[in-house]
Amino acid sequence: MVGPDRDVTGEEHVNSLESEAHRLDAADPGRRHLFHVPPAEGGRYPEVAYLAGNSLGLQPRATRDELLADLAAWSRLGVEGHLEAERPWLPYHELLTAPAARLVGARPAETVVMNSLTVNLHLLMVSFYRPAGARTRIVIEDSAFPSDSYAVRSQARFHGLDPDTTVVRLTPRAGEDTLRTEDVTDFLAAEGDTVALVLLGGVNYLTGELMDIPAITAAGRAAGAVVGWDLAHAVGNVPLALHDWDVDFAAWCSYKYLNSGPGALAGVFVHERHLGDPGLPRFEGWWSTAAATRFEMTPVSRPPATVEAWQISNPPIFAMGPVRTSLELFDAVGMPALRERSLRLTGYLERLLDEVTADRPLAVITPRDPERRGCQLSVRIGVGSANELTKRLRHEHGVIADAREPDVVRFAPVPLYSTYHDCWRVADALAATVEKH
Ligand SMILES: Cc1ncc(COP(=O)(O)O)c(C=O)c1O
């Protein structure tokens, strides 16, 4: 129990809850000291309560030095930095491979950091969306992130297909906010022979629902489809085992839970069984050819039998440093420990939200089962606009959450840097901002 168990005044209750939050923070600290937490513009506390790491993660303190070191190498060495920088630029991307693979449960040959998320999804669909005969459809969730919807619709058009009939959007049952696993697997069992590609979000951006990735992957593959995952909201948030789950391909960004900065470089996974397959179409460039052949300057590439064959251009070194810094942090803490703290922190926020939402026009729409969600809790507001509410939370209480119009506000206590006190501030701010029924 977080709250007191005797009759108390409202103010005593609030004070006791705040002390409880401080006690929990002392007992279960995160790594907040490794991050820059923005100053608050409103409210009683000097720093914001930052619950928007599902949108953009905070800056690790180590990132600036990493960037400065890369700049210094360039000023000192010019072109020789390709080979002589402390971390030579030519093979720089290889430094990111093993830690990225650990994070998503992949083998190093299956993982590479490159480009940005939607670019990578397109490059992967060049290989893995190959409509043929009656098998042309792409399955997404109706609440897919809009850019995924744009991407698959444009892929359908690219193949001369009508996006309105090619893209199937799965919707939750009437009166439900999230998809059940059977909603997806039953559809695949019934109509899977028309499906070329299943492309879903591992954690849904809007509801925070964690999909059953292994079950859906198995159902899609059993139906003869290729199964890919957009892991933007899953990577660094929940444990992943992409290799063992037999996922065909996946892509993710690094600016949310991976704290690598706005527009940061993204990651890609291609399952081992597809590596080195000469029958797979791929777009190629300089970095698609095996490293040993890169300077032979021949007209025909010789791609390696690894996911690096999907690389195209030489990578932006200044964008790689922040990803490296971040992945080192994940390696140091470890995803299992992060997930444990995440379950405690999000469970705590859920209990506080239950108190606040009980008599207000607010409802948590994220699944209640901790195994079916990451750290994010999404709240549907019954009155007013989500944008207006998040503005008031920020300016009046220093609480940074994120609005998805018209009526969803998302709160993500991130286990690396969020605190129990941040969670308490969310509940306190909502109680002060949203009128009771
Ligand atoms: C689930 C999901 N997919 C795709 C994107 C878009 O990614 P990008 O613009 O980096 O390609 C986002 C951005 O927030 C996202 O949340």
Side-chain angles (χ1 to χ4, degrees):
M1 272 290 290
V2 171
D5 56 4
R6 58 187 176 87
D7 281 350
V8 289
T9 66
E11 195 176 338
E12 274 177 336
H13 179 59
V14 168
N15 289 341
S16 127
L17 285 179
E18 184 170 18
S19 324
E20 182 70 35
H22 285 309
R23 274 198 298 282
L24 288 166
D25 277 322
D28 185 14
R31 308 276 172 131
R32 190 186 188 83
H33 58 286
L34 299 178
F35 291 85
H36 291 285
V37 180
E41 287 171 20
R44 291 189 278 140
Y45 304 94
E47 291 179 345
V48 296
Y50 195 78
L51 280 294
N54 57 326
S55 182
L56 181 72
L58 289 180
Q59 183 186 135
R61 290 184 181 274
T63 301
R64 180 190 298 262
D65 285 347
E66 179 73 33
L67 275 173
L68 290 176
D70 289 333
L71 277 169
W74 182 29
S75 62
R76 201 174 66 249
L77 296 164
V79 69
E80 308 300 349
H82 282 301
L83 295 173
E84 293 175 20
E86 189 194 341
R87 287 181 279 276
W89 305 328
L90 215 51
Y92 196 107
H93 65 275
E94 293 170 11
L95 299 174
L96 309 183
T97 298
R102 282 192 282 278
L103 203 54
V104 298
R107 305 203 164 148
E110 296 171 320
T111 313
V112 69
V113 171
M114 62 181 198
N115 309 314
S116 47
L117 170 54
T118 310
V119 171
N120 287 338
L121 285 173
H122 276 299
L123 293 177
L124 290 164
M125 282 192 276
V126 165
S127 303
F128 295 112
Y129 175 53
R130 297 161 72 195
R135 195 183 279 283
T136 57
R137 297 207 282 176
I138 307 175
V139 176
I140 63 172
E141 68 276 50
D142 191 44
S143 62
F145 197 78
S147 65
D148 284 8
S149 182
Y150 307 157
V152 295
R153 288 176 61 83
S154 65
Q155 285 283 334
R157 278 197 300 273
F158 176 71
H159 285 277
L161 298 166
D162 175 358
D164 290 337
T165 51
T166 302
V167 177
V168 181
R169 311 181 69 91
L170 297 181
T171 47
R173 298 173 193 203
E176 300 190 8
D177 291 303
T178 52
L179 280 171
R180 300 184 193 192
T181 303
E182 315 86 81
D183 297 342
V184 185
T185 54
D186 288 353
F187 173 84
L188 290 170
E191 302 191 38
D193 56 352
T194 65
V195 175
L197 173 65
V198 180
L199 181 60
L200 299 173
V203 170
N204 184 268
Y205 87 98
L206 187 65
T207 64
E209 177 184 19
L210 168 59
M211 305 301 284
D212 189 337
I213 299 176
I216 292 170
T217 300
R221 297 198 60 231
V226 175
V227 184
W229 292 90
D230 173 345
L231 299 178
H233 288 263
V235 71
N237 180 15
V238 293
L240 297 165
L242 300 184
H243 178 86
D244 290 346
W245 293 341
D246 260 344
V247 163
D248 285 299
F249 71 86
W252 57 91
C253 60
S254 311
Y255 46 78
K256 301 177 183 294
Y257 298 105
L258 298 192
N259 309 311
S260 303
L265 283 170
V268 160
F269 165 89
V270 174
H271 198 279
E272 193 175 61
R273 66 179 164 276
H274 299 299
L275 302 178
D277 177 354
L280 274 184
R282 261 184 307 100
F283 287 165
E284 293 191 344
W286 197 15
W287 247 245
S288 317
T289 198
T293 66
R294 204 159 281 150
F295 287 90
E296 289 175 1
M297 313 313 269
T298 54
V300 179
S301 72
R302 281 197 278 144
T306 72
V307 70
E308 289 194 6
W310 272 263
Q311 292 184 117
I312 295 183
S313 294
N314 80 98
I317 298 304
F318 301 142
M320 295 226 141
V323 183
R324 206 178 69 80
T325 309
S326 161
L327 292 176
E328 271 177 10
L329 251 176
F330 276 86
D331 261 348
V333 184
M335 211 45 226
L338 274 179
R339 174 64 169 167
E340 286 300 312
R341 184 164 192 270
S342 178
L343 291 170
R344 293 191 292 274
L345 211 50
T346 297
Y348 175 69
L349 177 62
E350 182 182 37
R351 289 198 297 280
L352 296 183
L353 286 180
D354 280 345
E355 268 199 39
V356 180
T357 56
D359 48 8
R360 290 183 176 75
L362 300 170
V364 174
I365 58 169
T366 306
R368 292 312 188 116
D369 177 358
E371 297 304 319
R372 290 194 53 220
R373 67 187 187 207
C375 70
Q376 171 187 326
L377 293 180
S378 302
V379 174
R380 172 159 290 139
I381 60 169
V383 176
S385 100
N387 269 339
E388 277 310 309
L389 177 57
T390 49
K391 270 190 207 144
R392 287 193 61 194
L393 293 177
R394 176 178 170 206
H395 295 299
E396 295 169 23
H397 301 277
V399 169
I400 307 288
D402 139 313
R404 281 292 169 259
E405 284 285 32
D407 61 357
V408 174
V409 180
R410 307 181 297 174
F411 301 99
V414 172
L416 267 175
Y417 51 73
S418 297
T419 62
Y420 291 86
H421 192 251
D422 289 337
C423 297
W424 174 83
R425 285 176 64 186
V426 168
D428 187 54
L430 279 174
T433 313
V434 180
E435 301 244 333
K436 291 188 178 177
H437 288 298

